[in-house]
Amino acid sequence: MSGSLWLKVPGGDTLPAIPRPRRDTAPAADPMDELAERLDAFIAAAVHPDEIAAILESDGMTDEHIRLTYGRDDSFGLAEELYARVPRSFPEPGRVPDPWKVSLTACLLRGVIFALPGLAYLLGAPLLEGPKDRLGLPAGTLTLLAGALIGWVWDQTLSHRAYSWLGLGDRAAAGRTLLLGAPAGALLGTAAALSVPGGPPFAYAFAAGQALYVGAATVLLVLGRERLLLAALAPMAAGAVLTFLVELPVPVRVLLLALSLLAACALAVRELPVADGVRALVLRIRSWRDIRPGERGPVRWQMLRGAEEEYAPRGPRLGDSVPYGVFGLGTGLLVLYAALGEVLAGGPAEAVAAPSAVALTLSMGPAEWLLHRFRSGSLAGLRAARSSRQFRLRMVTTLTRCLAAYLAVLLALGLTGTLLWPGAPGLTAVRVATLLLLGAVMWTGLLLQSFGAVRPAAVVCASAAVAQSLALLLGAGQPRAVQLAVAGAAALALAVLVCLLLGRATAHR
């Protein structure tokens, strides 16, 4: 439950400073009294006599010196007597730096960056005009949603793999991963949008730009360039705000959208090792071209590896990143159903709950900060607790406080968005409950993800998305009731997983 007795602030001395014998006092009547007084703090804090024996030996006391001075056989016998003589007294650990302390401003900035691209739809709305689809949604809605969902899933998988390389200290490998993965994700997002028929022509061009932006934003966010991305989004955001005041011509709208997109792509390319990647690709193609059939020799020689290759460090496995993509797919579908579930089930187009999706997106900034606060609070509880039961109580208290704070922020964002959004459906009790339960699902899922338990979180979220999809396809139940039941079941399952997996002290080390 606690660290080593000699744990100091990072950078300090890791060994105890043992007090030396005082030379300006008269000899003690019993040398044991003088020794116990000199080492009182260390003896009182010891949990076993062997710790005292180690201190005595580190002080240079040999068995012969102990027999002549203290009349005991060895250091262990002397340590046992000192342990019995001095009462136990465990001092509180000193202050240590909080490794989970982060800036609230930085987290809020990331939340704003996640939500700002939504203004592009407002700026490009006149270009997406056309007959409504069979569900009564604006033209091109399903086209853009398909591209955005696939891009979100790929972004989660790619981000984890790049972050894994960064965690290993290999920024060059992370850059190469993003250099290959970001264009591939843009192609997948564009292909997904093109696979949805019936959209207006500009919707497909808009979806291609959306896919390119997702790839560029992934690069900049993973490499910690949030402020550059915010600067790239500034022209588009300014144009969207101006649309509330004046009617912007279509060419100006297209120019502002293209300017932000090109700026984001250019900044992302500047951060990537493009030259090194092209050089490595050319060398590999040349090596493939120069190899002739039979030059590789028998198969048995191909299986031999040199010592330098055998002990070379291995990178993260591709399979470790897949659960992050599954988690992204599950949460993305749940958010989609929260906004369009009633419409997809045949309800009126006026039932689109867009403010709920916007609130969930904006809340990711505070959610990230509260995740760090939970890690900080659980670490403090780990240091202060004196039993496993006491630690679990502290952990549950911290969890409840952080989750309640996040849900309060989410509710405030949902209410504000509903009041400001023209024609948005009212936040009834069922809608509020669904929004809060869905927020609990996302926050607890991210919490498990931050502790490395992404697989159970991905299974729960993907299962919830599958259950809601089946209910939608089969027409089972009323859409609002199905959403509430699915979100409630998923939130309960994740809460149980959090208590089981994070209730152990070893999970927080």
Side-chain angles (χ1 to χ4, degrees), residues 268-470:
V269 169
R270 192 188 70 166
E271 297 293 330
L272 292 175
V274 178
D276 294 340
V278 172
R279 190 179 304 110
L281 180 62
V282 171
L283 291 176
R284 180 166 295 185
I285 293 176
R286 287 181 179 177
S287 64
W288 290 341
R289 185 188 60 186
D290 295 340
I291 293 176
R292 298 178 181 178
E295 283 189 356
R296 292 185 181 271
V299 174
R300 61 178 180 273
W301 294 110
Q302 296 182 32
M303 296 174 64
L304 296 178
R305 297 189 301 176
E308 68 281 354
E309 183 180 354
E310 184 176 356
Y311 298 103
R314 297 182 180 273
R317 296 181 301 177
L318 284 172
D320 292 340
S321 300
V322 173
Y324 290 84
V326 176
F327 178 80
L329 177 62
T331 54
L333 285 174
L334 290 176
V335 173
L336 174 64
Y337 290 141
L340 299 176
E342 294 182 52
V343 178
L344 295 177
E350 292 76 15
V352 174
S356 297
V358 174
L360 287 166
T361 304
L362 279 173
S363 69
M364 287 298 100
E368 182 180 354
W369 185 77
L370 288 168
L371 288 174
H372 283 85
R373 296 314 304 159
F374 174 81
R375 296 298 296 262
S376 178
S378 61
L379 185 60
L382 185 63
R383 294 193 183 109
R386 294 292 181 264
S387 65
S388 58
R389 183 175 181 274
Q390 188 178 5
F391 168 73
R392 282 194 294 271
L393 289 176
R394 287 176 176 268
M395 188 277 295
V396 171
T397 301
T398 305
L399 174 66
T400 304
R401 187 181 299 120
C402 292
L403 181 57
Y406 170 69
L407 294 181
V409 172
L410 179 60
L411 179 59
L413 291 173
L415 291 173
T416 304
T418 302
L419 292 175
L420 297 178
W421 196 283
L427 271 181
T428 61
V430 175
R431 289 183 186 274
V432 169
T434 303
L435 176 63
L436 295 181
L437 287 172
L438 186 55
V441 168
M442 296 190 68
W443 194 84
T444 51
L446 290 173
L447 179 62
L448 290 172
Q449 187 180 118
S450 69
F451 278 88
V454 63
R455 285 179 172 81
V459 168
V460 171
C461 292
S463 300
V466 169
Q468 196 157 342
S469 300
L470 289 176

Side-chain angles (χ1 to χ4, degrees), residues 23-343:
R23 301 182 182 275
D24 56 349
T25 58
D30 184 359
M32 286 286 292
D33 293 336
E34 188 275 335
L35 181 63
E37 181 183 357
R38 180 163 64 92
L39 301 180
D40 177 76
F42 297 102
I43 298 172
V47 297
H48 194 276
D50 288 353
E51 294 184 37
I52 305 173
I55 292 175
L56 296 175
E57 292 175 359
S58 67
D59 198 25
M61 291 190 186
T62 63
D63 290 343
E64 182 180 1
H65 173 76
I66 291 173
R67 283 193 295 269
L68 293 175
T69 307
Y70 303 104
R72 279 38 176 202
D73 293 333
D74 52 24
S75 60
F76 293 99
L78 179 59
E80 289 177 359
E81 186 164 343
L82 290 171
Y83 185 81
R85 176 176 296 199
V86 178
R88 307 274 67 75
S89 175
F90 303 104
E92 290 295 326
R95 285 186 171 273
V96 295
D98 184 359
W100 297 104
K101 185 177 182 180
V102 295
S103 171
L104 176 60
T105 304
C107 294
L108 293 178
L109 175 63
R110 290 175 68 88
V112 171
I113 289 175
F114 293 152
L116 269 184
L119 296 176
Y121 300 103
L122 179 63
L123 195 60
L127 301 168
L128 298 172
E129 291 181 352
K132 294 184 177 181
D133 58 22
R134 57 184 179 84
L135 297 175
L137 295 172
T141 300
L142 296 180
T143 300
L144 297 177
L145 286 177
L149 184 62
I150 297 302
W152 168 252
V153 174
W154 183 265
D155 165 62
Q156 295 294 297
T157 307
L158 177 63
S159 297
H160 173 261
R161 183 157 180 80
Y163 275 125
S164 298
W165 280 117
L166 289 176
L168 294 173
D170 195 342
R171 190 176 180 86
R176 291 193 298 269
T177 300
L178 294 170
L179 180 62
L180 293 175
L187 290 176
L188 285 175
T190 304
L194 293 174
S195 66
V196 180
F202 185 78
Y204 298 107
F206 195 97
Q210 173 183 262
L212 286 173
Y213 170 78
V214 169
T218 301
V219 172
L220 294 174
L221 289 173
V222 169
L223 297 180
R225 299 294 187 263
E226 292 89 351
R227 297 184 184 277
L228 292 179
L229 182 57
L230 183 62
L233 291 173
M236 178 272 299
V241 172
L242 284 177
T243 58
F244 291 102
L245 305 176
V246 296
E247 181 63 31
L248 293 179
V250 170
V252 175
R253 293 172 180 264
V254 174
L255 177 63
L256 292 174
L257 289 171
L259 184 59
S260 286
L261 176 61
L262 292 176
C265 293
L267 291 171
V269 169
R270 192 188 70 166
E271 297 293 330
L272 292 175
V274 178
D276 294 340
V278 172
R279 190 179 304 110
L281 180 62
V282 171
L283 291 176
R284 180 166 295 185
I285 293 176
R286 287 181 179 177
S287 64
W288 290 341
R289 185 188 60 186
D290 295 340
I291 293 176
R292 298 178 181 178
E295 283 189 356
R296 292 185 181 271
V299 174
R300 61 178 180 273
W301 294 110
Q302 296 182 32
M303 296 174 64
L304 296 178
R305 297 189 301 176
E308 68 281 354
E309 183 180 354
E310 184 176 356
Y311 298 103
R314 297 182 180 273
R317 296 181 301 177
L318 284 172
D320 292 340
S321 300
V322 173
Y324 290 84
V326 176
F327 178 80
L329 177 62
T331 54
L333 285 174
L334 290 176
V335 173
L336 174 64
Y337 290 141
L340 299 176
E342 294 182 52
V343 178

